[in-house]
Every structure is written in C-alpha cells, then in structure tokens.
C-alpha cells in the first residue's frame, strides 16, 4: 500500500466522496485501482477504526475519497456501523459512491435502498462484474439506472475495468442538479408517507432534507429526525399521526416491530430490482419455495390464465354466496317498513320514511354481502403477496397499452373503491403516467357499481349464469380501460415510458387480522355512504318523485278505484295513478326533458333519471330504480319486486346499454373530488367528465344496436 500523503487543495473543482458498501465488496481494491491515487491512513475521531482517505487528481478535478467501514445496513449497532452512519449523517461531503457485489446483488441492495432515503447524490458501482459474468449473471446497468434514477456503472476492481467510466459518472453527477431516487414502498407505507408529507407542506416546515425523506425517517423511528422535530410546535399534532401510521404499517406486515416491517419493505423493493435487471444464464442452486411458486403463478404463458381463473372464482363467490343473506336483509327492511308505517298518520311523512329512507337505504344495504365478499377476495390476494406478482407479470402486457405493471395496483384497487385507488396511484412518480392511470381507474368497476350489476344479472339471467355474467362485465370494463389507455397514450399523454420497480414481497399466509381490518374499514365506508350521503340522495329522489302532487289526479282515480269490480282492477288503477303522479313530478319532468337525448340508447325517462342520480353515488342508481319501478307493487320478503319490475319494463337491449353506461361514465361525486385532488386540478375532472360521457354514450349506442341485431 502506498502511504504517501498528498494534500488535496480545497478548490471550486474539489469533489469529496464517501465510499460506502457492505463488507467484502472490494471498496479498498476499487479505489486502489485509480492509477495516481495517494492513500492517507489514520483513525476516525474518538475510535480506533481505520480512516482511509484517498487523494487523486482527475482531469481538472481534485478528489478526496473517504473509504468508510463496511456495514451491512444503515444502522449503528457496532463501532464500524456507527462510524459509517454518523459520518454519512453529520459530515460534509459531496457525493456517495455505493459499491455493491454484482454476484450477490439482492443482499447488497439492502444497504443501497437505505442510502436512497438520504438527500445526497449517489453513484452505484457494480463491482466484480467480471466474476458475475463468469457465473452467468447478467445485470442491465442502464435499465437499473432508469429504475432507481441513480447512475449505475459496471466496474471490476480486480481487472481494473470501468474505473474511468465510474469517475466520469461521479463528475457528471456532481455537476448536475440532484435527482430524487425512485425508492417505492408498498401501498400502505406510501399512503402514510403522503399523509406526513402533506402535513409538513401544510405547515411549511423548513428542512434540508426533502419532506419525503423526513417522512420515511419518522416512520422508521430515526432518533435524530425525532429529536429535531420534537421541539418544534408542529410536533403536538404530528405525533398522533405517526402513532396511527406505525399501527397501520405494522398491521400490514403482521408485526409489532416497525424496523422489521421496513426490513420487509426494503427486501421487497430489492427483489423487485433484481427481478427486473438480473438474468441468470447458468443453472443455479435448488429453487426456494417462493421461486417454485413463482415459476407457476407468474409463468409467462400460464400466469395470466391462472390470474383470470382466480378473478372468475372470486366473482362466482361474490354472486352465489352473497345471494344467501340478501333475502334476510330484504325481509328485515320490509318488516321494518311494515312496523313503522302504521305509527305515522301523515301520508307524506309516512311515504318519506318508508319509501324514501328505509326503501332507498335498504336497496343499497341489501348488497353489502356481495361487497364484503369482493373486499375479502381482493384483500386475500394482496396480503399473500400475489397481487405484486401479478403487477410484475402484467408489466410487459400493460406496456403495450401505455401503462406500467405498477399501474395494476391502483387499477385492481379500483374494483373495491375508486377513492383509495386514486390515492394509491401516488406510487407512480412520473406525472404523465400517474395521470393516465388516474383516467383509467374509473373503467375498473368499483364496489358501488356491483349492486347495479347484481340487480340486472339477477333480473335477466338464471342464478347459475349470473356469476359468469358478473365476471364478463368486470373483465369487459377492464378491457375497455386498456383500450382507452392506448388511445389516451397516443393522443393526450404522448411521451417516453418511464420504468418503475415492481415490489416483490415474500409469499406469506393470509393475516386474518389484516384482512379483518381492511374489509371492516371498507365496509364501514360503504355503509356510512348508505346511511348518510345515499340516504340524503334517496330523500332527494323521493321528494322529486312525489312533488308536485296532483290532487286532481287523486280525485279522478279515487272514483275509479272505488268502482273497481275486483282487486286486480283496483291494483291496476292504483299503479296507473302512481305512474301518472310520477310522470308529472319534478323527477318525471327531468326524465322527460332528457328522454330525446337518450332515446337512441333505448332508455326511457326513468332510466335517464337513475343514471343522473348515479352521478352523486353509483349505489343511488339502485335506490332510484327502486323508487321509480316498485311503486304500487306488493312487496314481501319472498318477492323480488325490483328485479321483476326491471325485467318487465326494460327491454334486454336497453338493459345491456344501461350496464355499459354504468361501467364507463363518471365515478361518484366523492371519487371525482379525490380524482381532482390527486390529478392536481379541477380541470382534469372536467376532462374526465367529457371523456367518460362521450365514451359511455358511443359504446352504449353500439351495444344497443348490436344486441338488437343479435336478438
């Protein structure tokens, strides 16, 4: 070793580098490969750990490279780890060179992923690239650079190859503005990061690090970050947010240790990187259980059919099992209406309570079992780690439509509810790709649309076929979304695709606690909408359908009803009166006014009104149809009055067109508000309204005409 000292002058062209890596990755050998390097060996202040500084000149730049002790992770348990940790956090330097072993990339990325949370410029040196090549390991360093948004350079300290390219890359990175690395966590962690970042932005917290890095450090219980924020006035409000965030993340990882949860997060990210950039050309050791399962579930040929089979099974269960308790719920609300009705003397108030509130909310609550089964199915696929595999599997397929495999996560979340789906699109860091995904999420039929599908499938198809029809509707919506993505990518969202890392968590047994938490949260959200927002909408629909009330019509039909020769004729006159009153109500007038616009789709004015009410919330479509079509009918716990009325009053071709519109048109008001927030402007919500309305009308018209031709 050359121990001659050389003083490197501190000039404008001076670059100070922190050389970081795990033990035995060849850091010292790498820096010794620089031909004109001069080593200075001493000790770090206060400890006996060697401090090696390397000084050299390259072109017009003067380099000081501090070779830090090897550390497996960004911790401070041992003296060596503490020295490296403290130096990186507290000392003044310009850039980090992270040296990794190319023959053991996944293990080495454990430290790399943690370094990416620092607000420092980084260059990754893929050392031992010659050994990796001999072992049949091929690393696509250019694609890795794109995935991480950090320069990656292949080098070999032993063969002295790639050294000059590495130094050139360091100079280039030093001169350029700092870029934010792409370190992506799971949806649960990203959600909590976004919450903390939003809070810091709201309070204009001043910091050297980015808000995202601060949020990550807070979630990881970083002592220095906590100490710095603890004395700030915002800490009082921030602490409860952090407590809830930790509970949420720990629940998703089925652990009480936040460090263990983040270790899993980093490991999943690292596996995703390796899966994307590493190819093994030679036979390797025996496969692990996870690899054996992956060889089947994410097989290039069989993977997608297996996924479609799982989804088909889920929708079959949603319909068949969900139908069992529906009769009990229907009977309960019928009984409740029968009990309350005699206690209210005023006809208008009785109609409001029984027909408006109980009938409207009951029509929505009726489908809660279907919603719960759908939520359980999606939660099961997510908690086992399968959903992330599907995202990886579909990446190449999605790219054909201008989307990323990572877009799959918010898209499949959209089958449950559009609101969390829009929020989970934050994992897409490129604005254009995130916007495109946001525009397509609405094509994935949310749980609120499920009641409409179940109602129409049950009305027009036998129970043994209804599950298949439900599956076809959901798949058709997804296919339409992909086609729409391709069109938008070729027009409004032109540009070069930006790669992302697919998270690859380990397979694990389903966590009952996590599934319970997820399903309970989403079901309560659904029922809250039914009990508040949808109840209000049902009252509004009831009012619009009952007023203005014609006393003249009442008087005219009272005589006819009294003169009826039998109960059948009496029922006919009662239904006719209800029909006439409904037609001249505010709701009837709205429907009649818009009827010419929707006539080409085969819709009557009642269907128009139901769709317009659905702009507030898709569940309201069912309750509105209940108000419009069940008036005057005898309803008991054994009759499916609404389905019967649908089948009798709506032609099959019109029903098909109606379902197409429900599949495509604008999400509910609450989801649209979240969409505008996530997209960054209300103008995008206006674009979404026109885009979905035009597409829905054109597709419904086509579906109506084709169905007429085939029937």
């Amino acid at each position: 070793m050359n121990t001659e000292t050389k003083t490197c002058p501190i000039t404008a062209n001076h670059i100070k580098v922190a050389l970081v890596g795990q033990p035995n990755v060849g850091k010292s050998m790498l820096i010794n490969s620089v031909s004109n390097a001069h080593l200075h060996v001493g000790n770090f202040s206060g400890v006996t750990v060697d401090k090696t500084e390397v000084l050299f000149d390259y072109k017009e730049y003067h380099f000081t490279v501090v070779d830090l002790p090897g550390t497996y992770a960004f911790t401070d348990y041992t003296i060596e780890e503490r020295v490296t940790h403290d130096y990186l956090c507290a000392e003044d330097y310009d850039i980090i060179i992270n040296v990794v072993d190319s023959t053991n990339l996944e293990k080495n990325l454990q430290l790399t992923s943690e370094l990416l949370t620092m607000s420092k410029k980084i260059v990754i040196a893929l050392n031992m690239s010659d050994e990796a090549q001999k072992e049949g390991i091929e690393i696509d360093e250019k694609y890795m650079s794109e995935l991480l948004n950090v320069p990656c350079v292949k080098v070999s300290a032993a063969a002295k190859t790639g050294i000059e390219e590495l130094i050139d890359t360091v100079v280039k990175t030093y001169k350029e503005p700092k870029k934010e690395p792409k370190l992506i966590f799971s949806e649960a962690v990203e959600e909590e990061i976004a919450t903390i970042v939003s809070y810091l932005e709201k309070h204009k917290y001043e910091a050297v690090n980015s808000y995202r890095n601060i949020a990550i450090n807070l979630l990881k219980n970083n002592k220095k970050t906590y100490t710095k924020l603890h004395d700030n006035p915002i800490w009082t409000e921030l602490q409860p947010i952090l407590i809830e965030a930790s509970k949420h993340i720990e629940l998703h990882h089925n652990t009480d240790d936040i460090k263990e949860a983040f270790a899993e997060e980093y490991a999943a990210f690292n596996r995703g990187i390796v899966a994307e950039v590493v190819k093994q050309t030679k036979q390797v050791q025996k496969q692990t259980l996870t690899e054996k399962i992956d060889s089947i579930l994410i097989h290039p040929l069989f993977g997608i059919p297996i996924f479609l089979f799982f989804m088909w099974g889920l929708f079959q269960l949603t319909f068949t099992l969900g139908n069992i308790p529906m009769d009990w719920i229907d009977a309960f609300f019928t009984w409740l209406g029968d009990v309350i009705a005699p206690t209210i003397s005023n006809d208008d108030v009785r109609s409001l309570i029984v027909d408006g509130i109980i009938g409207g909310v009951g029509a929505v609550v009726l489908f809660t079992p279907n919603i719960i089964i759908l939520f359980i199915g999606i939660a099961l696929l997510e908690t086992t780690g399968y959903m992330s595999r599907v995202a990886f599997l579909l990446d190449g397929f999605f790219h054909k439509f201008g989307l990323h495999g990572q877009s799959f996560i918010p898209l499949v979340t959209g089958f449950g509810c559009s609101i969390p789906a829009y929020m989970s699109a934050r994992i897409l860091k490129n604005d254009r790709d995130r916007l495109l995904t946001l525009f397509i999420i609405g094509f994935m039929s949310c749980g609120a649309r499920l009641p409409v599908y179940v109602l129409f499938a049950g009305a027009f198809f036998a129970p043994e076929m209804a599950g298949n029809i439900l599956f076809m509707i959901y798949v058709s919506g997804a296919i339409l979304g992909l086609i729409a993505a391709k069109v938008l990518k070729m027009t409004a969202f032109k540009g070069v695709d930006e790669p992302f890392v697919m998270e690859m968590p380990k397979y694990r047994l389903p966590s009952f606690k996590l599934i319970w938490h997820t399903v309970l949260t989403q079901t309560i959200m659904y029922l809250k909408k039914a009990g508040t927002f949808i109840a209000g909408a049902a009252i509004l629909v009831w009012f619009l359908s009952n007023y203005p009330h014609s006393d003249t019509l009442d008087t005219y039909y009272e005589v006819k009803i009294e003169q009826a020769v039998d109960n059948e004729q009496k029922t006919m006159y009662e239904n006719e009166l209800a029909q006439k009153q409904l037609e001249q109500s505010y709701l009837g007038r709205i429907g009649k006014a818009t009827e010419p616009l929707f006539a080409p789709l085969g819709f009557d004015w009642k269907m128009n009104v139901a769709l317009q009410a659905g702009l507030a919330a898709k569940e309201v479509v069912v309750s509105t149809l209940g108000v419009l079509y069940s008036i005057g009918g005898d309803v008991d716990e054994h009759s499916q009055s609404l389905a019967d009325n649908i089948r009798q009053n709506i032609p099959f071709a019109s029903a098909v067109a109606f379902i197409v519109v429900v599949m495509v048109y604008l999400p509910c008001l609450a989801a649209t508000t979240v969409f505008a927030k996530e997209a960054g402007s209300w103008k995008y919500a206006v674009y979404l309204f026109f885009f979905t309305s035009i597409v829905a009308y054109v597709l419904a018209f086509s579906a109506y005409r084709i169905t007429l031709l085939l029937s």
Side-chain angles (χ1 to χ4, degrees), residues 591 595 598 602-609 629 649-650:
E595 197 167 27
F598 292 95
F603 294 176
D604 62 14
W605 62 272
K606 297 176 185 177
M607 296 167 74
N608 304 344
V609 169
Y629 283 111
N649 290 281
I650 300 178

Side-chain angles (χ1 to χ4, degrees), residues 50-266:
D50 283 347
K51 177 181 183 181
T52 304
E53 284 191 345
V54 182
L55 312 174
F56 65 90
D57 297 332
Y58 181 78
K59 297 182 179 178
E60 69 272 23
Y61 290 91
H62 307 289
F63 279 83
T64 299
V65 180
V66 180
D67 185 4
L68 296 172
T71 176
Y72 287 105
F74 198 47
T75 54
D76 56 0
Y77 297 130
T78 67
I79 296 175
E80 287 80 4
E81 288 175 350
R82 193 177 307 123
V83 166
T84 299
H85 181 277
D86 291 348
Y87 185 93
L88 291 175
C89 291
E91 297 297 326
D92 185 30
Y93 56 95
D94 300 306
I95 195 166
I96 295 172
I97 295 180
N98 175 214
V99 184
V100 300
D101 179 355
S102 297
T103 65
N104 198 1
L105 187 59
E106 185 176 329
K107 177 172 173 281
N108 277 241
L109 287 175
Q110 179 182 351
L111 175 61
T112 304
S113 54
E114 293 187 77
L115 294 175
L116 294 179
T117 63
M118 301 184 66
S119 294
K120 289 290 184 180
K121 295 178 180 180
I122 301 177
V123 173
I124 296 173
L126 297 165
N127 197 19
M128 306 182 192
S129 57
D130 53 337
E131 291 182 27
Q133 192 172 9
K134 289 176 186 175
E135 295 179 19
I137 300 170
E138 293 182 4
I139 300 175
D140 188 342
E141 79 279 12
K142 291 182 180 177
Y143 189 44
M144 186 173 172
S145 301
E146 291 182 56
L147 288 171
L148 296 175
N149 205 27
V150 169
C152 301
V153 183
K154 281 184 178 178
V155 297
S156 171
K160 295 188 176 181
T161 58
I163 307 297
E164 189 169 335
E165 183 185 352
L166 175 64
I167 304 302
D168 282 332
T169 304
V170 169
V171 172
K172 183 182 177 184
T173 306
Y174 169 75
K175 290 162 65 176
E176 292 177 345
K178 184 185 178 298
K179 298 176 182 176
E180 191 69 28
K182 295 178 191 171
L183 176 62
I184 312 298
F185 296 105
S186 66
E187 186 183 337
V189 176
E190 288 292 337
E191 183 182 327
E192 298 304 337
I193 290 172
T195 302
I196 296 168
V197 168
S198 176
Y199 180 83
L200 295 174
E201 287 174 346
K202 177 184 172 184
H203 290 273
K204 297 183 174 62
Y205 177 69
E206 294 183 5
V208 176
N209 286 1
S210 69
Y211 286 160
R212 179 177 174 82
N213 288 349
I214 293 170
I216 293 170
N217 286 333
L218 286 171
L219 291 174
K220 289 168 60 181
N221 290 338
N222 181 280
K223 292 179 182 177
K224 291 186 177 179
T225 309
Y226 264 78
T227 302
K228 191 170 182 181
L229 274 160
H230 191 271
D231 296 330
N232 195 292
I234 66 172
W235 180 253
T236 307
E237 293 180 29
L238 186 59
Q239 190 177 20
I241 296 173
L242 295 175
I243 292 170
E244 287 303 312
S246 294
K247 288 179 181 177
H248 183 207
I249 294 169
E250 288 167 1
L251 179 61
H252 272 265
H253 287 275
N254 196 26
T255 179
D256 295 328
D257 187 348
I258 195 71
K259 289 184 179 179
E260 184 181 329
F262 265 93
E264 287 186 21
E265 290 283 336
Y266 285 124

